[in-house]
């Protein structure tokens, strides 16, 4: 999840992959998954890596009626122990939410929950956080009313929110960007521009990656300072290692096939 600081990444929620996963939505990076067993092995490696690096993982059962249900990031935006339950931007994904919401309401003691209504739409995958500054993608899944709901939650904490228009050839903001540390944003050339982010807080850096490695810009910074990256993105790996970060590569081929990235597969809470 892209909306917690590194020091808040103690627990993560994931969801098992249903046999119907071959019907998952795929329009951007992926041509559709074909090998569910391989996807499950890749997810297991992902979970094992989180656990080996200090994150306690809880796994929800798969929902056969929802091929995309493993992409839990889209279903809840957790900020400082509170959460927004968005109405996801694709109609086929709306009913994935109840078990995730129920689990988080139980797990987050004293949680205040905001919900969305009317025409508001948002996928959690459109939100990233760098320190206490938030960015939201206005995308095919997230509209202005959804952004207004997120702004209400962030106003409560005094956190700033900036809007970035996502190009048509990308799904979410997190599909092409991430914060491997609390002071670094990875971005692909040809998708976004420096002015999309505005003036960043002192010490915060935009790290530009060649556009052909856009998928690799989605990473997960771990609480011990290491960074999970997708296997096969040498510029991403080099950029992080040049900055003194240790990387851990994860084979994401069958998850990418459904337009899923590393952050899509978990919610830190
Ligand atoms: N396959 C993930 C999504 O399109 O939401």
């Amino acid at each position: 999840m892209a909306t917690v600081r590194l020091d808040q990444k103690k627990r993560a929620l994931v969801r098992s992959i249903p046999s119907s996963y071959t019907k998952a939505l795929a329009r951007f990076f992926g041509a559709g998954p074909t090998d569910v067993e391989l996807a499950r092995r890749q997810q297991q490696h992902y979970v094992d890596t989180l656990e080996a690096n200090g994150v306690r993982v809880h796994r929800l059962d798969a929902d056969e009626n929802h091929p995309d249900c493993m992409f839990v990031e889209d279903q809840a935006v957790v900020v400082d122990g509170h959460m927004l339950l968005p109405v996801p931007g694709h109609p086929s994904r709306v009913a994935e939410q109840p078990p995730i919401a129920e689990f988080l309401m139980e797990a987050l003691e004293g949680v205040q929950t905001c919900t969305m209504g009317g025409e508001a739409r948002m996928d959690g995958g459109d939100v990233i956080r760098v320190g206490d500054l938030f960015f939201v993608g206005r995308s095919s899944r997230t509209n202005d009313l959804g952004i207004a709901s997120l702004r209400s939650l962030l106003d409560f904490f005094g956190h700033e929110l900036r809007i970035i228009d996502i190009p048509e050839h990308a799904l979410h903001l997190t599909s092409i960007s991430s914060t491997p540390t609390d002071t670094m944003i990875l971005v692909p050339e040809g998708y976004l521009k420096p002015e999309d982010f505005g003036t960043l807080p002192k010490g915060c850096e935009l790290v530009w990656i060649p556009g052909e490695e856009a998928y690799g810009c989605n990473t997960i910074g771990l609480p011990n300072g290491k960074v999970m990256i997708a296997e096969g993105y040498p510029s991403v790996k080099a950029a992080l290692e040049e900055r003194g970060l240790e990387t851990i590569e994860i084979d994401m081929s069958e998850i990418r096939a459904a337009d899923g990235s590393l952050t899509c597969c978990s919610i830190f809470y």
Side-chain angles (χ1 to χ4, degrees), residues 6 9 49 52-53 179-181 219-229 240 244-248:
L6 279 193
K9 290 183 172 176
T49 304
N53 288 280
T179 53
T181 73
T219 65
I220 296 181
L222 294 164
N224 60 8
K226 297 181 188 175
V227 184
M228 286 167 69
I229 64 172
L240 294 173
L245 295 165
E246 188 177 328
T247 59
I248 305 170

Side-chain angles (χ1 to χ4, degrees), residues 199-239:
T199 305
L200 295 177
K202 202 165 177 295
C204 188
E205 182 189 16
L206 282 180
V207 178
W208 292 93
I209 301 293
E212 59 270 23
E213 290 193 27
Y215 178 82
C217 288
N218 183 284
T219 65
I220 296 181
L222 294 164
N224 60 8
K226 297 181 188 175
V227 184
M228 286 167 69
I229 64 172
E231 193 176 275
Y233 298 90
S235 304
V236 172
K237 186 173 164 66

Side-chain angles (χ1 to χ4, degrees), residues 152-205:
S152 303
L153 175 66
L154 296 179
D155 280 351
F156 175 76
F157 294 105
H159 295 330
E160 187 186 350
L161 178 65
R162 298 181 189 170
I163 301 171
I164 295 182
D165 284 310
I166 301 304
E168 278 179 7
H169 56 299
L171 173 56
H172 291 134
L173 179 57
T174 58
S175 308
I176 51 171
S177 183
S178 68
T179 53
T181 73
D182 291 333
T183 56
M184 187 188 294
I185 309 176
L186 288 183
V187 224
E189 291 160 358
Y191 284 75
L192 299 173
K193 301 179 295 307
E195 18 328 350
D196 292 326
F197 292 87
T199 305
L200 295 177
K202 202 165 177 295
C204 188
E205 182 189 16

Side-chain angles (χ1 to χ4, degrees), residues 2-267:
T3 57
V4 296
R5 293 188 314 263
L6 279 193
D7 65 301
Q8 297 172 321
K9 290 183 172 176
K10 302 280 188 284
R11 300 181 293 176
L13 179 66
V14 304
R15 193 167 192 182
S16 292
I17 300 176
S19 299
S20 59
Y21 181 58
T22 49
K23 298 196 182 76
L25 300 168
R27 196 165 78 81
F28 296 91
F29 289 121
T34 53
D35 187 337
V36 178
E37 282 313 316
L38 178 57
R40 287 179 175 143
R41 287 198 296 280
Q42 290 172 345
Q43 186 194 40
Q44 187 59 50
H45 183 215
Y46 175 97
V47 168
D48 292 345
T49 304
L50 288 174
E51 287 184 330
N53 288 280
V55 181
R56 193 144 48 90
V57 179
H58 182 89
R59 185 193 285 263
L60 292 176
D61 290 340
D63 176 350
E64 282 301 332
N65 294 321
H66 291 97
D68 284 285
C69 70
M70 77 163 300
F71 300 122
V72 291
E73 176 182 54
D74 293 321
Q75 299 292 339
V77 179
V78 176
V79 177
D80 299 347
H82 298 288
M83 71 175 167
L84 171 66
L85 293 174
V87 178
H90 195 286
S92 74
R93 301 204 51 202
V94 173
E96 292 172 27
Q97 194 178 68
I100 296 168
E102 198 178 314
F103 173 81
L104 290 173
M105 281 194 245
E106 185 92 17
L108 289 167
E109 208 177 305
V111 64
Q112 300 280 335
T113 303
C114 308
T115 53
M116 277 186 189
E119 297 304 310
R121 296 288 179 274
M122 172 171 285
D123 280 4
D126 268 315
V127 190
I128 66 169
R129 172 181 193 161
V130 61
D132 285 337
L133 172 61
F134 287 72
F135 294 93
V136 60
R138 184 160 38 206
S139 70
S140 58
R141 300 284 176 88
T142 295
N143 63 17
D144 285 324
L145 289 170
I147 292 171
S149 302
L150 175 65
R151 195 179 289 289
S152 303
L153 175 66
L154 296 179
D155 280 351
F156 175 76
F157 294 105
H159 295 330
E160 187 186 350
L161 178 65
R162 298 181 189 170
I163 301 171
I164 295 182
D165 284 310
I166 301 304
E168 278 179 7
H169 56 299
L171 173 56
H172 291 134
L173 179 57
T174 58
S175 308
I176 51 171
S177 183
S178 68
T179 53
T181 73
D182 291 333
T183 56
M184 187 188 294
I185 309 176
L186 288 183
V187 224
E189 291 160 358
Y191 284 75
L192 299 173
K193 301 179 295 307
E195 18 328 350
D196 292 326
F197 292 87
T199 305
L200 295 177
K202 202 165 177 295
C204 188
E205 182 189 16
L206 282 180
V207 178
W208 292 93
I209 301 293
E212 59 270 23
E213 290 193 27
Y215 178 82
C217 288
N218 183 284
T219 65
I220 296 181
L222 294 164
N224 60 8
K226 297 181 188 175
V227 184
M228 286 167 69
I229 64 172
E231 193 176 275
Y233 298 90
S235 304
V236 172
K237 186 173 164 66
L240 294 173
E241 291 180 357
E242 274 162 23
R243 288 164 177 80
L245 295 165
E246 188 177 328
T247 59
I248 305 170
E249 290 186 80
I250 308 287
D251 181 358
M252 293 288 287
S253 61
E254 276 302 300
I255 294 168
R256 176 181 163 138
D259 290 339
S261 304
L262 288 159
T263 63
C264 307
C265 306
S266 58
I267 299 177

